[in-house]
Structures are given as structure tokens and as C-alpha cells.
């Protein structure tokens, strides 16, 4: 049976047996939190459980690496929607140890693409039209630094309200242990205590 067929079959029973009932909640995050994390399979259940989150507690955005790579891309838009439309009051970027994006370079992906039948001249065309594949199709050298960079980009976004704390955390994908690498309250408080200059 194909993956999608088996999912659809399971889903029929799930709905018919009212197994959804325990998950019913609203679109507004009860813990007023929006999380950006990695798509890593090990975090699928571990991340919410390790943070004590249940359905309805947080907005969770995921991509490869928990990275904000562009201030006007879909990740930043999602964060702004969570803050302005869905009542999120704090942001938390959660990278993880052993991330597939650590040390990933575009050359590795492009080699695999060529083996899968992507013609070299197509790649050349992208490069010639100004797509910087080495910057776009790439990971990061260090997860802690990557999380801090994303926190910095979110915190300094021109459309983010100043009183929104943006935290940075690294999670262990085996134990779920969290290490705080950027305390968003410090930035919010330091902004508050800055002298007003006219
Ligand atoms: Zn990852």
C-alpha cells in the first residue's frame, strides 16, 4: 500500500471513531508562544513533550534547521501573522544538536541533484540569472550561532513590536534537554531601560 493510501485508511478510522475529540482547541496559542523549529523527525513528538506543550498551546513553524534566512520570506511572515493575528506574545527559535543542516553545503545537494537527472546547464542557468546557490541551498557551521542569527533577524525586524521577547534555544534530539542560548527577556528589558533621547 502506498504511503498516502495507508494514511487515508488510518484517517477514516480516526475520524469515524471520534479520536480527534481530545485534540480540539482554538487557533489561538494558549501559551502565547510562536516556535520556529527544525523539521527533524526526532522532534515530531519529543519537542512538544519536552516543552510541556499540548495541542493548542503554541504556533509551531518548521523548516530545515529552524533558520530565518530572509527577513521577507515565508518564515518571518508566519511569525508576524502569529504575533499580530493569533495573539502570540513571545517567539522561541529552537535549533537542535545533530541537525542535518550543520555543515551542509550546496555542492553536496547539487551533486545528488545531478545524479537524480537534473541537467548541469539548468544549474548553470540558475547561477547565471543571479541565484546564489552557495548561499541559499546551504546549512550552517554551528547550531548555536545559527539560532542566535535567526533570533537577531527576528528581533530586529522592522515590523516586530519591541515588547515581543525572542528567545533562542538548542534542544538535544535524544533527551529533549534544552539549553538557552539567547534570553529574549534581556533584550526586551534592556530596550525598556534605554534612556529616551530626543
Ligand atoms: Zn535539524
Amino acid at each position: 500500500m502506498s504511503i498516502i493510501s495507508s494514511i487515508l485508511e488510518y484517517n477514516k478510522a480516526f475520524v469515524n471513531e471520534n479520536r480527534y475529540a481530545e485534540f480540539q482547541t482554538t487557533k489561538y496559542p494558549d501559551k502565547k508562544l510562536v516556535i520556529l523549529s527544525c523539521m527533524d523527525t526526532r522532534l515530531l513528538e519529543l519537542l512538544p513533550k519536552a516543552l510541556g506543550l499540548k495541542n493548542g498551546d503554541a504556533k509551531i513553524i518548521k523548516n530545515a534547521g529552524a533558520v530565518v534566512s530572509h527577513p521577507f520570506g515565508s518564515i518571518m511572515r508566519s511569525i508576524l501573522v502569529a504575533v499580530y493575528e493569533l495573539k502570540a506574545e513571545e517567539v522561541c527559535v529552537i535549533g537542535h544538536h545533530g541537525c542535518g543542516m550543520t555543515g551542509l553545503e550546496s555542492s553536496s545537494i547539487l551533486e545528488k541533484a545531478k545524479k537524480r537527472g537534473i541537467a548541469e546547464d539548468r544549474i548553470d542557468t540558475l547561477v547565471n540569472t543571479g541565484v546564489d546557490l552557495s548561499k541559499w541551498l546551504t546549512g550552517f557551521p554551528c547550531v548555536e550561532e545559527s539560532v542566535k542569527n535567526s533570533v537577531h533577524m527576528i528581533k530586529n525586524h522592522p515590523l516586530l513590536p519591541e515588547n515581543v521577547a525572542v528567545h533562542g534555544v538548542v534542544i538535544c534530539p535524544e533527551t529533549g534537554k534544552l539549553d538557552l542560548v539567547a534570553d529574549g527577556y534581556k533584550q526586551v528589558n534592556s530596550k525598556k531601560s534605554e534612556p529616551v533621547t530626543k
Side-chain angles (χ1 to χ4, degrees):
M1 193 185 283
S2 72
I3 295 170
I4 190 66
S5 310
S6 66
I7 286 175
L8 290 172
E9 186 160 310
Y10 175 88
N11 178 256
K12 259 185 211 163
F14 181 86
V15 175
N16 288 341
E17 294 162 16
N18 298 346
R19 277 188 261 158
Y20 53 83
E22 62 176 301
F23 301 106
Q24 287 186 327
T25 177
T26 74
K27 64 181 176 180
Y28 299 106
D30 292 335
K31 294 204 171 166
K32 312 282 184 199
L33 184 65
V34 50
I35 290 169
L36 167 62
S37 192
C38 180
M39 64 186 191
D40 194 292
T41 49
R42 292 169 290 181
L43 302 181
L44 182 70
E45 289 187 79
L46 179 70
L47 181 112
K49 294 238 162 79
L51 273 66
L53 298 177
K54 61 181 193 323
N55 219 35
D57 278 347
K59 314 302 287 185
I60 301 190
I61 307 160
K62 288 191 168 189
N63 70 5
V67 177
V68 183
S69 50
H70 196 286
F72 296 98
S74 63
I75 295 292
M76 197 59 228
R77 179 175 59 220
S78 302
I79 291 170
L80 292 171
V81 168
V83 168
Y84 285 109
E85 296 293 325
L86 300 162
K87 303 180 184 175
E89 293 176 0
E90 298 192 11
V91 184
C92 192
V93 179
I94 307 182
H96 67 98
H97 298 296
C99 185
M101 291 292 268
T102 308
L104 183 68
E105 292 186 6
S106 60
S107 55
S108 162
I109 297 174
L110 293 174
E111 276 312 307
K112 292 184 177 93
K114 285 178 206 164
K115 282 183 188 154
R116 296 281 292 269
I118 305 298
E120 191 137 10
D121 63 351
R122 200 186 288 181
I123 295 169
D124 293 341
T125 304
L126 288 175
V127 173
N128 293 336
T129 52
V131 180
D132 190 341
L133 291 172
S134 67
K135 275 194 180 158
W136 175 67
L137 202 57
T138 190
F140 43 74
C142 165
V143 67
E144 286 86 356
E145 287 308 310
S146 172
V147 166
K148 285 181 194 168
N149 287 342
S150 292
V151 165
H152 186 263
M153 196 179 291
I154 298 165
K155 188 64 204 165
N156 290 286
H157 197 279
L159 294 178
L160 192 86
E162 277 197 6
N163 62 352
V164 173
V166 185
H167 311 286
V169 173
V170 176
I171 187 170
C172 169
E174 278 88 38
T175 65
K177 181 179 183 294
L178 301 175
D179 288 311
L180 189 67
V181 297
D183 181 346
Y185 296 134
K186 280 188 183 160
Q187 285 175 312
V188 168
N189 291 334
S190 70
K191 284 222 164 167
K192 272 184 193 156
S193 60
E194 268 173 21
V196 180
T197 49
K198 284 185 181 172

